[in-house]
Amino acid sequence: MSKARSTTRAQAGRPTLSAPDDDPYLWLEEIEGGRALNFVERQNGRTLRAFGGAAFKRDRDALASIYDRPDNIPYVGRRGDHLYNIWRDASKLRGLWRVTTLDEFRKPNPSWETLLDIDQLAAKEGEDWLLNSIASLPGDHPRIIVSLSRGGSDAVVLREFDLNAKDFVADGFTLPEAESGATWIDPDTLLLSSAHGSGMATTAGYSRTVRLWRRGEPVERAAVVFETTPDRMCACCEVDRTGQWPRVWFFDHLDFFNVDVWLGTETGGSVKLDLPSDIWLRVHRDWFVVKLRSAWTIAGVTHGPDTVLGMSLSAFLAGDRNFTIVFAPGPRRALQGLFWADDKLVLSILDELRPVFETCTPSSGGWSHENLRGLPGIGVVDVWPFDSHPSESNGDLLATVQDPLTSPSLMLIERGISSPIVLKQAPKTFSAEGLVVTQHEAISIDGERIPYVQTGPAADSGNAPVHMSGYGGFGLSVRPYYNPALGKLWLERGGTTVQANLRGGGEFGTRWHDAGRLAGKTLSHDDFAAVAADLVRRGVTEPRRIAAESGSNGGILISNMLTRYPARFGALFCTIPLIDMRRYTKLLAGASWIAEFGDPDKPEEWEWLKTYSAYHAAKPGQSYPSILIATTRRDDRVHPGHARKMVAKLQVMGYEAYFYEAAAGGHGYGRDHKEHASFQVLGFQFLKRKIGWLDDEV
């Protein structure tokens, strides 16, 4: 670390906590502004000159070749009698949408039929197309709504595609670029949730309405059948075909964690369900379950947070409120997800961070429970429905099993068969010889135990080059997946990786999330710093050898390590970040995250937001570690202005701050495997250089 030189420039310390809106860098929020793009070009050139040499190119090509391997797992979803997959490799950078059968997929080298070549489409139309998503009817109905994204952005263009003709439908459903989604009612009717059109967007930029759009009808004339107010997050819907007749569920998202649910038909919602708004709801046939986020007293019984309750939907609509407890959490046992597969509810649970899966079968006599068999109780296990449409499910499931040193296996869990069948095995992309995975706990500032997973050499050297990561937000759980990039370019070369389970995540349920949310967000940052200190205490490494990386909500985390805990790190890599917590609600989708962070326009909430708005907290004359902040111009979720402005301010203060902005990639690291690898490897080269790790000599 080096002490930053003093500066007399008046703008160096602006904006400040006392004058949070006195911002001299607002011009960098103009995404395509000429002055802003000149800044980006200069900064990119500086960063690439410093870290984009021969070692960068070697590692980028090595990592891209791993991502492009022909024996990587092709993940599939089943619709009707066919399995669908989106595949990318070195020859198809943007991807192929393709189809096969289950019998063919079981073979070592399946035969695939190409439905849509995105590279050819992009070249033909002169557009930066990527395939975002697919909306279809059940069975083998040939008409599909394809969502095409420019450069990986969340906003998409909707176009109707015919599977039989393998071409887009002339005069079919089309919609210009917007935050949009569509679901089919029948072959000639869609329910459209889109921000396209005057007055159709919420403040957060998402759909304010659901419209009934009939074939041949201009979208401007499509009837609004459901709507919310602009201050709410969004309105959307889904069509449920598991009942005796199709049902439409309408969702009025009050904010990120609260939703009002209406039951109806394609003409609109007719019944608002008498349920708390902070729930997860899953319905199948005449059964439904709700997972609570806060305590709820109903029928004289109080149910605690994270409890899952179930009952008959028809009985509930008739006034019955005698729920059955389907799942009860423990202090460190928390539900991670739930879904229906045929007549069984599948629960994904972390019990002291160990994966557990239960199936629950409802009947008039009660709910029966059993564990899914044949899956390991350690490592990372994911289970999901094989069938894309719940109405087609026969109970078959897909699962992946992996850990930091074991590449993923894709398994089929067929209904009625006790043992999962391995369908595909991902290749081993790095040598794990001499490496071990261990789990530890640090003690945070308030005494809370913070788990973390360490992967690396069995013996501690005392100065190990450590790559640390964490997230701590939105109730998302961090788990130790097999990571080809870190494995090949960090672990295989003698380094150590650490993944921290911070408050704000969902590893231990709502209480863990809430502890690191709103005013508690600084606790998740304290947790990360505590893990860094614990690595030093245990003799694993020294602060100067710790490189930390995270993105998005994790960008707040990394920028706070810079301003609040600079002595604990040797270098920081901050990606696609949120940083300016004063203006975040005014930039792109920022308003949708108020329930996680708070509203800076409310003085009482700005009081806690300013404690972790690193853009305002940064000041000259400190011993900040070197930092690289990277983003993408086509990120229409987290505004690239966050990254641009923070680097500009730090550089004026005299700090060693680098910047990189990819031209495309959306809220991610690139539009293809080579761009993705470039983004990652640039970060690794920076981190290694700044912690003094000359891994070329290893």
Side-chain angles (χ1 to χ4, degrees):
M1 301 178 194
S2 60
K3 191 108 172 180
R5 67 183 182 273
S6 61
T7 177
T8 58
R9 300 182 194 182
Q11 67 189 42
R14 296 162 49 202
T16 64
L17 293 175
S18 58
D21 301 313
D22 181 15
D23 189 347
Y25 305 109
L26 285 178
W27 55 275
L28 285 169
E29 294 180 4
E30 299 174 16
I31 296 176
E32 300 290 344
R35 185 183 175 194
L37 290 181
N38 286 337
F39 171 88
V40 170
E41 184 178 359
R42 292 195 309 272
Q43 296 291 334
N44 280 1
R46 173 176 179 259
T47 300
L48 290 170
R49 285 191 297 273
F51 309 106
F56 161 78
K57 294 174 182 176
R58 176 203 65 204
D59 288 352
R60 175 202 63 196
D61 292 346
L63 184 56
S65 68
I66 289 173
Y67 293 153
D68 286 332
R69 287 183 62 135
D71 54 349
N72 286 329
I73 294 176
Y75 289 95
V76 293
R78 183 168 62 187
R79 185 173 70 90
D81 296 326
H82 293 92
L83 277 57
Y84 295 82
N85 163 258
I86 299 173
W87 179 258
R88 295 182 186 179
D89 58 27
S91 65
K92 293 299 177 184
L93 302 180
R94 298 171 184 273
L96 289 175
W97 184 34
R98 57 189 191 168
V99 63
T100 190
T101 63
L102 179 56
D103 287 343
E104 190 68 27
F105 187 73
R106 294 178 189 269
K107 298 177 182 179
N109 296 296
S111 175
W112 295 88
E113 179 186 359
T114 297
L115 298 171
L116 180 61
D117 185 322
I118 308 300
D119 293 80
Q120 287 184 5
L121 179 68
K124 176 183 176 182
E125 299 186 349
E127 290 278 10
D128 190 14
W129 290 135
L130 294 175
L131 185 58
N132 182 282
S133 64
I134 304 295
S136 65
L137 283 161
D140 290 320
H141 190 276
R143 295 296 177 90
I144 307 291
I145 294 294
V146 171
S147 297
L148 295 170
S149 162
R150 289 187 173 96
S153 63
D154 288 349
V156 294
V157 171
L158 302 184
R159 293 167 67 176
E160 188 176 6
F161 187 84
D162 190 299
L163 294 176
N164 294 336
K166 298 181 184 176
D167 201 357
F168 291 99
V169 178
D171 300 321
F173 289 107
T174 60
L175 193 73
E177 186 177 57
E179 293 279 359
S180 299
T183 186
W184 292 91
I185 291 292
D186 59 46
D188 294 311
T189 314
L190 294 174
L191 282 173
L192 176 68
S193 304
S194 174
H196 172 72
S198 177
M200 294 297 172
T202 62
T203 304
Y206 296 111
S207 56
R208 191 187 65 79
T209 66
V210 177
R211 287 173 273 182
L212 186 65
W213 191 11
R214 303 185 188 279
R215 184 174 300 282
E217 179 182 51
V219 68
E220 293 77 15
R221 294 178 56 188
V224 172
V225 296
F226 187 78
E227 61 185 311
T228 190
T229 54
D231 59 314
R232 295 188 171 182
M233 182 175 166
C234 70
C236 58
C237 69
E238 65 180 44
V239 178
D240 173 11
R241 294 181 170 85
T242 65
Q244 292 181 330
W245 55 82
R247 303 174 289 208
V248 181
W249 296 97
F250 293 94
F251 305 101
D252 181 357
H253 287 271
L254 287 62
D255 58 37
F256 208 90
F257 307 112
N258 289 271
V259 59
D260 287 339
V261 182
W262 293 73
L263 174 59
T265 66
E266 68 271 21
T267 61
S270 56
V271 178
K272 180 182 177 183
L273 269 64
D274 179 25
L275 294 168
S277 62
D278 57 343
I279 59 166
W280 298 350
L281 172 72
R282 303 290 186 269
V283 184
H284 190 80
R285 296 176 184 161
D286 190 41
W287 297 99
F288 81 107
V289 293
V290 292
K291 181 259 187 186
L292 305 177
R293 197 175 189 283
S294 57
W296 185 36
T297 300
I298 190 72
V301 180
T302 298
H303 303 283
D306 296 334
T307 303
V308 177
L309 306 175
M311 71 177 304
S312 158
L313 177 61
S314 58
F316 177 83
L317 295 174
D320 189 357
R321 296 297 182 267
N322 292 305
F323 285 92
T324 297
I325 296 175
V326 178
F327 170 80
R332 290 168 79 89
R333 176 182 170 88
L335 189 74
Q336 303 298 299
L338 70 169
F339 61 86
W340 290 94
D342 198 17
D343 60 351
K344 294 184 181 295
L345 179 71
V346 181
L347 305 179
S348 171
I349 301 161
L350 281 182
D351 190 342
E352 291 285 359
L353 300 180
R354 294 187 299 268
V356 176
F357 293 88
E358 293 182 2
T359 61
C360 312
T361 306
S363 70
S364 57
W367 293 65
S368 62
H369 297 253
E370 62 179 327
N371 285 352
L372 271 180
R373 292 169 289 180
L375 297 174
I378 58 173
V380 178
V381 183
D382 289 295
V383 176
W384 66 96
F386 192 3
D387 296 284
S388 301
H389 291 280
S391 61
E392 295 187 303
S393 175
N394 65 352
D396 289 352
L397 307 173
L398 291 176
T400 55
V401 175
Q402 59 192 298
D403 65 43
L405 301 179
T406 307
S407 62
S409 299
L410 176 66
M411 299 180 172
L412 173 61
I413 306 173
E414 293 183 282
R415 185 180 182 121
I417 298 177
S418 59
S419 298
I421 301 165
V422 176
L423 291 174
K424 301 291 176 184
Q425 175 68 54
K428 297 177 180 179
T429 57
F430 62 90
S431 171
E433 183 178 355
L435 302 178
V436 297
V437 181
T438 55
Q439 190 164 342
H440 309 271
E441 288 186 338
I443 305 301
S444 193
I445 194 170
D446 60 347
E448 181 64 77
R449 295 181 294 143
I450 309 303
Y452 63 95
V453 173
Q454 177 178 323
T455 306
D460 293 329
S461 65
N463 67 342
V466 172
H467 181 282
M468 258 189 81
S469 62
Y471 188 74
F474 293 93
L476 297 177
S477 299
V478 168
R479 293 182 292 161
Y481 287 96
Y482 188 82
N483 187 317
L486 283 172
K488 187 68 178 177
L489 304 179
W490 204 280
L491 291 173
E492 188 176 270
R493 296 180 182 179
T496 295
T497 64
V498 169
Q499 215 170 30
N501 298 109
L502 314 176
R503 282 174 287 186
E507 291 88 343
F508 301 125
T510 296
R511 65 110 182 161
W512 195 253
H513 176 207
D514 282 351
R517 186 169 72 99
L518 300 174
K521 183 62 67 177
T522 53
L523 281 176
S524 68
H525 307 157
D526 296 330
D527 296 347
F528 195 71
V531 171
D534 199 59
L535 294 171
V536 176
R537 181 194 65 79
R538 290 177 45 236
V540 176
T541 191
E542 308 168 50
R544 67 180 181 86
R545 298 280 275 179
I546 301 178
E549 174 184 350
S550 192
S552 193
N553 166 79
I556 308 175
L557 169 69
I558 296 300
S559 62
N560 272 261
M561 295 306 100
L562 182 82
T563 58
R564 296 185 60 217
Y565 289 101
R568 299 194 185 183
F569 301 91
L572 301 169
F573 184 32
C574 181
T575 67
I576 50 175
L578 274 163
I579 300 178
D580 179 355
M581 302 310 293
R582 178 67 180 185
R583 284 185 53 76
Y584 87 93
T585 58
K586 299 175 174 62
L587 300 174
L588 299 175
S592 65
W593 311 318
I594 287 175
E596 176 72 17
F597 304 120
D599 187 346
D601 290 334
K602 295 179 179 179
E604 68 277 12
E605 297 188 14
W606 171 244
E607 284 302 307
W608 73 61
L609 277 160
K610 70 182 182 183
T611 65
Y612 55 86
S613 185
Y615 184 56
H616 297 86
K619 55 186 178 182
Q622 307 302 304
S623 294
Y624 290 163
S626 299
I627 188 169
L628 168 60
I629 306 180
T631 187
T632 76
R633 197 168 313 148
R634 286 294 293 177
D635 187 348
D636 54 355
R637 194 180 312 174
V638 177
H639 198 290
H642 287 276
R644 294 174 176 182
K645 296 195 306 177
M646 186 66 175
V647 167
K649 180 175 181 177
L650 289 172
Q651 289 180 350
V652 168
M653 288 180 174
Y655 293 110
E656 188 176 43
Y658 290 88
F659 176 83
Y660 178 72
E661 180 175 295
H667 193 58
Y669 287 0
R671 83 192 92 187
D672 59 45
H673 289 160
K674 190 171 184 178
E675 287 186 0
H676 193 144
S678 295
F679 197 105
Q680 291 181 288
V681 171
L682 190 65
F684 290 163
Q685 288 294 318
F686 164 80
L687 292 173
K688 289 177 178 182
R689 187 90 55 86
K690 294 307 173 182
I691 65 171
W693 186 29
L694 302 178
D695 69 346
D696 287 348
E697 300 174 3
V698 175

